[in-house]
Amino acid sequence: MGESRKEMNRRSLLQDALRSAGLLGMGGAFGFLIGRAQAQQYCWQIDPYKCIACGNCATYCVLEESAVKCVNTFEMCGYCKLCTAFFDPAPQALNTGAENQLCPTGAIIRTFLEDPYYEYKIDESLCIGCGKCVVGCKAFGNGSLYLQVRHDRCLNCNECAIAVACPSEAFIRTPVENPYRLKGKNHSA
Amino acid sequence: MSKMKQWFNIQLLIGLIIAAAVIAAVLSVIFKDRYTESGGKLSAQYQYNLEQFQKTDPALILYEETDIRFKTELDPSCAIAVDSQDNIYVAGGRSVRVFSSKGKPLPLNIDLDQEATSLTVDPNGRIFAGAGDRIVIFDSSGNLKSRWESAGPDALITSIAVSPDHVFAANFTKREILQYDMSGRKIQTFGEFFLPSPHFDLAYSSDGQLWASHSGEHRIEAYDLSGNLVSWWGEFSTLAEGFCGCCNPVNFALLPHQSGFVTCEKGITRVKIYDAKGTFVGFAAGAEKFAEHDRLCLAPDYDYRRVALDVAADSKGRVLILDPALAEVRIFQRMENQAAGT
Amino acid sequence: MIFSVSAMLILTLLSGLPCFAQDIERFPPPDFDSGYVFPQIQKPLPRAEIFQYLDVVVLLAALSLASYLVYRRRSRQGIFLLTIFSLIYFGFIREGCICSIGAIQNVTLALFDESYSIPLTAAVFFFLPLIFTLFFGRVFCAGVCPLGAMQDLVLIKPISVPPWLQHALRMLAYLYLGAAVLFAATGSAFIICEYDPFVAFFRLSGNMNVVILGVSLLVIGLFVGRPYCLYLCPYSVILRLLSKISQWRVTIGPIEDNCIQCRLCEDSCPFGAITPPTPKEMPAPGGTDRLRLVLLIALAPILITLGGWSASWAGDAFSRMNFTVRLAERIALEDAGQVEGVIDASKSFREKGLSKENLFEESFRVREQFALGGWILGGFIGFVFACKLIALSLFSERSEYEADRSECVACGRCFSTCPQSAKREKKIDAASSA
């Protein structure tokens, strides 16, 4: 009995030592990592200068309706009468008829401003983030349309499923204080 | 009966369910689609596709490429011009380089103090370079003759045309044409242009008309020397006859002897020939010729300054194309059989 | 590794520069006569940072409450209610992110990649449950982990899994942990998150395959207690290890050393975590057992080498989880004319006009990392395997029915089966009524 108690003591001593070592180690690792991290929180965003608008954003988001939508930097927009992001490459007529529109969901709103300028806004409730207009705008126009993660929708998954599928490594972790990567000089961080 | 009971043994049933679930779990892990090779699993209606418009009808191709193809070694290359001896001038970066009509570099090399934005050479061999917000003039040996006043703090001189008595400059920022006398005094500004992207080209024809590209309206317009709009031609079409996209043509040049125009488009990168009345004649070069240019331009971070082709025509009617994406000049000449036919 | 990190940093900086220049030199917009002003781009903000701290507070509270319920109240009901709360908060409200299991990868990436700075919540979610485990055992599993909660709730008809199968299946968790660390350390993937079986339920949407995986695990979970926790969870590997040296341990009865061996608790544990006492008349460990032990210890280095060697072969296959490796392979195949056409990734790479040499070099470097990582991973598995064999052949005397320190998830199902508990309840009742 005495023998076994001694063993018990030895065992609990060993356990205590290990536990203290574990605590110390974890505390050290925690302090080291946090000290380096400056308590930075991240969220996901698309670098528009890397995005090729392949369409993965529309299908790979864990949300049924993707958190990625198209945005327009108006300062860069040409306000084209004949917007190649709005119209089919070879439209039958230059009016807002659905058959002339490029967007499969009709998410671009075209408004007459003054001759000859038209404004193009995205109806985010309709946009699915397929990026078709992004390619259309880039092909002929100024590239003012591009895709961005909308943070009112994004769940900020630890590992973004779209980032995994992204063919151009355009998905980046960006600090929450500056959660958008907008085009145009007024928006550059 | 007892055999039946054994068959419906609850343990066995549970075992089967578990086995099925394990198999389903393993398969779902193995076959999870982490990424797709192309198109994001979207159907064709979600894909932007210009391919059908990038194919050129061979019957419409009137020009063939010569062996002369050379690098400008200027970045970004922005403008091309020819003088009366058919020497080739290219502006880009902060300099102007000169090449022989065969593409051999000539010793003349002109340095600018600002990034070049346009270039023209008048019949007397004087070199007019747009350097951002101002015009700089050199004689044919490359000596600085004159450095004109800035046309405005953020002016962008995207083209220059020279008549015997006047100099015209296209200021993209204000979307207007500046008219100077030969001493550099501004006489007037005129024109109202709709230009979504920074391409605004001018050319002076010897019959006394100033031609300007009005890309937002898909037109080429003629002005008299007082700045009045005289006539225009051109229309939107993605098909061969018209100018495609939001804003084309980006650049153009006059063919010798007032025989017509050669125009450059972006988006569907093509160089086309129109007659003096603005009727479509055919292609100098179809989109197939610029596959590499297009591939580069599609990159999301591609610089707009390297997108638009520039064009010039020499006295023999050769079409000289400056491809700023590849920083090279390519020369096309009219095909013999086609020339015989017309 | 640090080298590669700085190289990546420089690359990012360089790739950022032309964008900046382009923005500055962007051509001027049109002048509007009508006094039109450019609309503002709407920038909805992400969840405020304060809520992240709330998560940390809730985690701390839940862990404390779980420890209290397990050790002071010994209340299965209380633990059950806490489980429901955690499922709702960490699961359905917080939609499963961030979780302690996934945080393994954040910690790993932060250790290997200097440029990645770990969010405070991820670090706390990783370390806090571990610290609690050092004192109280796996109380995190009992009442805080939403994945555990999900499975605990569906368990309706537990069947017993034969011990040999249990031991074998548990190796999967080590493999999973090793692979997750390897992929996170090389910056290739966060597989724990990617294949998280229940997150799709929490978000009520997700990848179809992951939904199938989740449903399958729940179906298994109807009969086999907590299949993910027991056989797959990479975090449980660490928790098991730490709970072996925890300050306090979960006991079936309220008082230690007081087991009357009534065997009432024997079948109460659906997780096979109750170990029976060793038979009294056990022959003392004889020569053959000792020989076996010596043999097993001698076998350990062989197992480690064997594991390392075989996994280093698998390293090449593993490396295809890495984007760069995949892209480099594709580009090489396209250039060699062995595949037709381009895919989005290769098209994008070629558009950007990036250097192939750099890509191949980077890919080679990653593959080297995977080869080395494969060795380490395989060696680790071999080591675990050897330890397992040794542990199985070790004999330790038990005079009571005990909750196994490392296997017990502190769910509290066995508490009420012990007649001692009833006595204690009575005493407490009496004390409170007095």
Side-chain angles (χ1 to χ4, degrees), chain A:
Chain A
M1 199 67 192
E3 197 56 23
S4 110
R5 178 146 302 162
K6 217 186 254 171
E7 197 180 308
M8 288 278 275
N9 278 339
R10 221 187 304 147
R11 186 173 248 197
S12 76
L13 202 70
L14 184 69
Q15 278 190 355
D16 283 348
L18 281 173
R19 191 161 49 244
S20 313
L23 272 176
L24 224 67
M26 276 193 276
F30 180 80
F32 170 67
L33 291 177
I34 286 302
R36 204 162 67 179
Q38 303 132 2
Q40 184 85 278
Q41 298 282 0
Y42 284 104
C43 56
W44 293 99
Q45 195 46 271
I46 300 171
D47 181 344
Y49 293 109
K50 286 185 182 164
C51 171
I52 60 163
C54 62
N56 282 353
C57 289
T59 45
Y60 278 91
C61 186
V62 294
L63 293 171
E64 200 62 48
E65 179 192 336
S66 178
V68 172
K69 306 269 175 191
C70 183
V71 298
N72 191 359
T73 289
F74 293 96
E75 291 90 329
M76 283 171 70
C77 181
Y79 289 85
C80 306
K81 192 153 67 177
L82 212 157
C83 172
T84 50
F86 181 80
F87 286 111
D88 189 84
Q92 291 156 22
L94 297 182
N95 60 44
T96 57
E99 71 282 5
N100 302 319
Q101 287 191 29
L102 184 76
C103 180
T105 60
I108 305 181
I109 307 162
R110 183 183 196 240
T111 321
F112 175 73
L113 287 181
E114 62 181 66
D115 193 50
Y117 300 119
Y118 288 80
E119 181 194 70
Y120 297 91
K121 274 187 171 162
I122 308 295
D123 182 348
E124 286 194 10
S125 64
L126 294 175
C127 177
I128 61 159
C130 70
K132 191 180 186 182
C133 61
V134 175
V135 185
C137 179
K138 168 82 185 157
F140 290 96
N142 299 348
S144 68
L145 289 171
Y146 50 96
L147 297 172
Q148 286 283 283
V149 174
R150 308 304 280 162
H151 288 295
D152 51 343
R153 303 187 45 76
C154 178
L155 300 179
N156 200 12
C157 299
N158 197 22
E159 172 82 322
C160 170
I162 315 175
V164 173
C166 179
S168 58
E169 294 186 296
F171 264 78
I172 41 176
R173 289 188 173 93
T174 184
V176 282
E177 301 86 65
N178 209 349
Y180 289 88
R181 292 281 177 123
L182 302 177
K183 278 188 173 184
K185 62 180 168 196
N186 295 343
H187 300 295
S188 47

Side-chain angles (χ1 to χ4, degrees), chain C residues 26-336:
Chain C
R26 199 74 224 180
F27 43 84
D31 273 334
F32 295 102
D33 298 330
S34 58
Y36 170 79
V37 283
F38 296 119
Q40 287 290 308
I41 300 178
Q42 294 303 309
K43 293 189 269 187
L45 293 177
R47 186 168 173 265
E49 216 161 328
I50 182 85
F51 287 107
Q52 317 249 13
Y53 297 114
L54 178 69
D55 291 347
V56 169
V57 172
V58 174
L59 177 72
L60 181 65
L63 282 167
S64 310
L65 187 59
S67 311
Y68 169 75
L69 290 171
V70 170
Y71 287 91
R72 301 301 298 226
R73 292 293 300 273
R74 297 179 55 78
S75 158
R76 165 69 193 152
Q77 205 176 9
I79 297 167
F80 181 77
L81 289 175
L82 179 62
T83 299
I84 304 257
F85 165 79
S86 297
L87 181 64
I88 292 171
Y89 185 78
F90 295 111
F92 289 98
I93 295 178
R94 290 298 301 115
E95 292 173 320
C97 249
I98 176 93
C99 81
S100 300
I101 309 172
I104 296 171
Q105 303 161 117
N106 300 65
V107 170
T108 310
L109 184 60
L111 285 173
F112 281 87
D113 182 350
E114 258 186 296
S115 70
Y116 173 72
S117 80
I118 188 169
L120 178 74
T121 38
V124 171
F125 268 68
F126 179 76
F127 285 110
L128 198 57
L130 296 187
I131 290 168
F132 266 80
T133 307
L134 272 182
F135 289 98
F136 304 106
R138 294 169 65 178
V139 286
F140 170 75
C141 304
V144 185
C145 178
L147 282 80
M150 193 91 179
Q151 299 168 83
D152 213 275
L153 294 183
V154 297
L155 180 58
I156 48 163
K157 186 167 179 9
I159 58 166
S160 65
V161 181
W164 63 268
L165 189 58
Q166 286 223 13
H167 286 300
L169 286 174
R170 260 173 222 152
M171 295 302 292
L172 287 175
Y174 291 90
L175 194 63
Y176 196 2
L177 174 68
V181 168
L182 177 60
F183 289 130
T186 53
S188 306
F190 275 18
I191 53 167
I192 299 175
C193 300
E194 229 178 276
Y195 297 93
D196 183 331
F198 302 121
V199 79
F201 294 108
F202 300 148
R203 294 172 183 151
L204 303 174
S205 79
N207 179 289
M208 185 41 79
N209 287 47
V210 173
V211 172
I212 295 173
L213 174 66
V215 171
S216 307
L217 275 172
L218 285 185
V219 169
I220 299 171
L222 293 172
F223 314 110
V224 179
R226 295 187 176 222
Y228 183 83
C229 308
L230 261 61
Y231 309 122
L232 292 171
C233 178
Y235 198 57
S236 80
V237 170
I238 313 171
L239 294 177
R240 265 183 218 166
L241 200 66
L242 294 182
S243 60
K244 275 194 205 297
I245 51 167
S246 66
Q247 177 103 49
W248 294 284
R249 59 183 297 182
V250 178
T251 54
I252 301 169
I255 315 152
E256 249 184 290
D257 296 329
N258 209 10
C259 177
I260 53 168
Q261 307 212 359
C262 64
R263 305 182 65 180
L264 283 172
C265 63
E266 203 174 39
D267 296 323
S268 64
C269 183
F271 313 115
I274 294 180
T275 46
T278 45
K280 281 259 161 59
E281 286 83 32
M282 188 84 174
T288 48
D289 285 316
R290 223 167 250 159
L291 183 68
R292 191 169 66 178
L293 195 64
V294 170
L295 273 176
L296 281 174
I297 290 172
L299 191 65
I302 300 171
L303 278 175
I304 292 171
T305 320
L306 201 70
W309 181 76
S310 46
S312 73
W313 282 101
D316 225 35
F318 278 166
S319 71
R320 289 201 188 97
M321 289 284 278
N322 184 284
F323 178 79
T324 308
V325 173
R326 225 160 49 223
L327 177 63
E329 203 166 75
R330 174 77 197 186
I331 294 279
L333 283 176
E334 280 179 12
D335 286 355

